[in-house]
Amino acid sequence: MESSGVIYLAMLPAMALTMLHLGIGPFGHPSMIRHHKAFLRIPKVIRIIIQAVCVVVLVAGAAQMLGVIDLTTSADNPAE
C-alpha cells in the first residue's frame, strides 16, 4: 500500500480520538460521555502525546488530499 493510503486509514482513528478528547460527535451523547470522562483520566502528558500524533496524521492527510505534499511511492507516478 502506498504511504498515502496508510495516512488515509490512520486519519480515521485519529479523528475518533480527537472527537473523544473534545467530547463531540457520538462521544458527546449522554450514553457515551463515560468514554470521554475515562479518556480525561489518562495522565495529561500521555493525552498531549496522543493528540500531537493525531494532529500530525490529520494535517498530513489533509495536505495529501489537497495536493500540497505527495506521499505516493509507486513507480506509476513519474517525477519529471
Side-chain angles (χ1 to χ4, degrees):
M1 179 181 284
E2 295 178 354
S3 298
S4 60
V6 173
I7 292 293
Y8 296 152
L9 286 176
M11 287 178 75
L12 294 171
M15 193 64 230
L17 282 170
T18 301
M19 290 189 315
L20 177 64
H21 174 73
L22 297 174
I24 59 174
F27 301 107
H29 191 272
S31 67
M32 300 285 281
I33 202 74
R34 68 180 186 275
H35 298 295
H36 169 66
K37 288 183 178 180
F39 184 77
L40 294 179
R41 284 193 292 270
I42 296 173
K44 189 170 185 172
V45 173
I46 295 174
R47 284 186 294 157
I48 290 171
I49 292 170
I50 290 170
Q51 284 305 300
V53 170
C54 289
V55 166
V56 168
V57 167
L58 291 171
V59 168
Q64 171 68 23
M65 283 189 239
L66 293 171
V68 176
I69 58 173
D70 186 20
L71 297 174
T72 56
T73 57
S74 66
D76 297 335
N77 187 12
E80 293 181 26

